[in-house]
Amino acid sequence: LLLGGRIETPVGPTDVSLLLRPSWGGGTTVQIPPLGSLHLDTHWGPISLEASVTQLRPGPARELIESETALEGLTDQITDELRHGVITLLLRAAALSLVLSFLAGLALFRSWRRALVSLGSSAAGMLALAVLAWGTFNPQAIAEPRYTGLLTNAPQVVGDARSIVERFSAYRAQLARLVGNVSKLYAATSTLPTYEPDPSTLRVLHVSDIHLNPTAWSVIRSVSTQFQADLIIDSGDLTDHGSGPEDRFTEDIESLKIPYVFVRGNHDSLDTQEAVADQDNAIVLDDDLQEVAGLRIYGVGDPRYTPDKTTRDDNFGANQLRTRGAQLAQKLRNTGETPDLVVTHDASEGEGFSGMTQLVLSGHTHQRSTRLLPTGTRLFVQGSTG
């Protein structure tokens, strides 16, 4: 039953994988990587249904995004396609189960009569499963989903699920727009490069200016898993004030399971830096060069500590930061070491390393930008604020 219980079917602008899984509690799980999943208590029994979005089809998605008329009837289309997929899944699973049970009985007993008894036993077992699922079927389960991952924020985004069920016809247009928005997300992520795994390729996830947002860890975990990142680089401002109680926020770094390179931002204290260094997979760089996953990375913490407006006048302007960066770059040249990339919190300081590396990663401005300096060094500012 489990062997035949898998199929991939088109649902709207996506391809969805449907499969049966053994489960003590039954139910239905919908997985939408990298957003997370939701679980519905649709039925009870030893088998659950799992639906997972496997890919976005660019053509239908683009039509959905660009054409207002494409949204009309989308809900009915998705319902019909999903129903067809589930029925096909169950028929395939049942047919394969009956055929294999007959062949197993024939091979074991070498008797047509006993093989037919085996076939009947399997049919009875599947009928019992069907009756159990049908008898415990709960159509209101869609009103009480349990979310995981980024979808834990879904009630705030799409409203209370129960009200959506009760006023379904009034929500049709909103649901169609929601599907359109998800399609935009998948269209954006599908343009990111996907590399064949080979020893010369590294995937680096660059984040910055998280500022204590707990949701950030879910985003980082989802993206680093989906794109199989080899390491994560954080260019600072992990906290808001660099205070002791904020140190607990750094403990989620270990859950990421891959190297986490960190440089201190102007909102991070030296105590924050030490708290990050205490995490097993963290590498803190402060005027240090270290090889991580085969990549030579030089990083330096921000010389300022300006956690609030009372300390904003820190006498460190952009020109002073550039000068400091140039001094650190010269010091690094004197050692004869050449980094593959440099990480600073402020791009102004990063400009001082122009010409000695191909790439400088920074943050601080809360706005993504990329600039090619005259020396050929690329300065990339990450805007992933909390």
Side-chain angles (χ1 to χ4, degrees):
L1 189 65
L2 298 177
L3 182 65
R6 56 185 66 238
I7 190 174
E8 190 163 295
T9 182
V11 177
T14 66
D15 288 335
V16 174
S17 171
L18 300 174
L19 61 151
L20 300 176
R21 287 191 179 278
S23 169
W24 290 113
T28 301
T29 300
V30 181
Q31 295 185 346
I32 312 176
L35 302 180
S37 63
L38 57 98
H39 182 79
L40 309 171
D41 290 324
T42 52
H43 66 279
W44 187 84
I47 292 181
S48 66
L49 174 65
E50 182 177 296
S52 179
V53 176
T54 55
Q55 78 174 50
L56 178 81
R57 285 178 281 116
R62 192 175 299 110
E63 181 183 352
L64 182 67
I65 295 167
E66 296 174 353
S67 172
E68 288 293 332
T69 58
L71 294 174
E72 298 175 5
L74 179 63
T75 306
D76 290 336
Q77 175 193 345
I78 289 176
T79 302
D80 292 341
E81 291 175 337
L82 195 55
R83 181 186 293 114
H84 177 267
V86 171
I87 292 173
T88 304
L89 170 79
L90 296 177
L91 290 177
R92 281 187 55 179
L96 188 62
S97 299
L98 294 175
V99 169
L100 291 182
S101 66
F102 177 77
L103 293 177
L106 190 61
L108 180 64
F109 300 113
R110 301 189 183 279
S111 164
W112 289 100
R113 175 180 290 183
R114 291 193 176 187
L116 290 173
V117 171
S118 297
L119 177 65
S121 300
S122 294
M126 284 189 291
L127 180 62
L129 283 177
V131 170
L132 180 61
W134 184 267
T136 58
F137 179 66
N138 176 23
Q140 294 301 313
I142 195 173
E144 300 172 345
R146 296 197 302 274
Y147 300 98
T148 60
L150 300 185
L151 290 178
T152 52
N153 297 307
Q156 289 82 9
V157 176
V158 301
D160 178 68
R162 187 176 296 278
S163 65
I164 291 179
V165 174
E166 293 171 351
R167 301 180 57 216
F168 185 75
S169 60
Y171 276 88
R172 292 172 74 92
Q174 288 90 328
L175 287 170
R177 285 193 211 98
L178 179 62
V179 172
N181 288 336
V182 172
S183 297
K184 289 181 182 179
L185 172 68
Y186 272 83
T189 56
S190 66
T191 62
L192 294 174
T194 301
Y195 299 103
E196 291 297 326
D198 68 81
S200 65
T201 297
L202 284 175
R203 296 176 180 87
V204 181
L205 175 61
H206 178 205
V207 301
S208 190
D209 298 83
I210 291 173
H211 286 289
L212 286 183
N213 190 337
T215 307
W217 297 123
S218 296
V219 176
I220 293 170
R221 190 176 299 109
S222 296
V223 175
S224 63
T225 300
Q226 182 188 8
F227 294 101
Q228 300 176 26
D230 295 292
L231 69 150
I232 298 165
I233 295 179
D234 184 341
S235 49
D237 276 2
L238 188 61
T239 62
D240 274 335
H241 298 90
S243 63
E246 293 172 279
D247 289 348
R248 289 192 62 187
F249 185 68
T250 67
E251 295 174 2
D252 278 306
I253 291 174
E254 287 190 2
S255 69
L256 301 174
K257 307 298 184 184
I258 58 176
Y260 190 95
V261 179
F262 174 79
V263 300
R264 186 181 68 252
N266 61 297
H267 282 257
D268 303 317
S269 65
L270 289 172
D271 289 337
T272 303
Q273 179 172 295
E274 186 176 339
V276 173
D278 287 340
Q279 311 310 310
D280 289 342
N281 59 321
I283 298 101
V284 172
L285 300 179
D286 193 7
D287 191 18
D288 299 303
L289 187 146
Q290 189 164 334
E291 185 172 310
V292 183
L295 202 62
R296 296 188 304 274
I297 306 172
Y298 174 85
V300 60
D302 198 290
R304 304 162 295 183
Y305 177 49
T306 55
D308 53 56
K309 292 182 178 179
T310 61
T311 56
R312 191 166 293 279
D313 184 15
D314 55 299
N315 299 318
F316 245 102
N319 288 332
Q320 287 90 341
L321 285 171
R322 290 189 192 94
T323 300
R324 182 176 186 263
Q327 292 171 347
L328 291 170
Q330 186 58 48
K331 175 184 172 182
L332 189 58
R333 285 190 186 94
N334 293 338
T335 66
E337 296 280 1
T338 303
D340 295 315
L341 62 87
V342 170
V343 187
T344 66
H345 177 63
D346 194 310
S348 297
E349 187 171 16
E351 289 178 22
F353 292 86
S354 178
M356 79 165 309
T357 184
Q358 291 186 338
L359 180 64
V360 176
L361 301 180
S362 300
H364 186 61
T365 61
H366 297 191
Q367 187 172 357
R368 175 183 289 195
S369 65
T370 180
R371 182 158 49 102
L372 194 63
L373 302 178
T375 59
T377 294
R378 180 167 295 279
L379 185 64
F380 183 77
V381 178
Q382 180 58 274
S384 59
T385 62

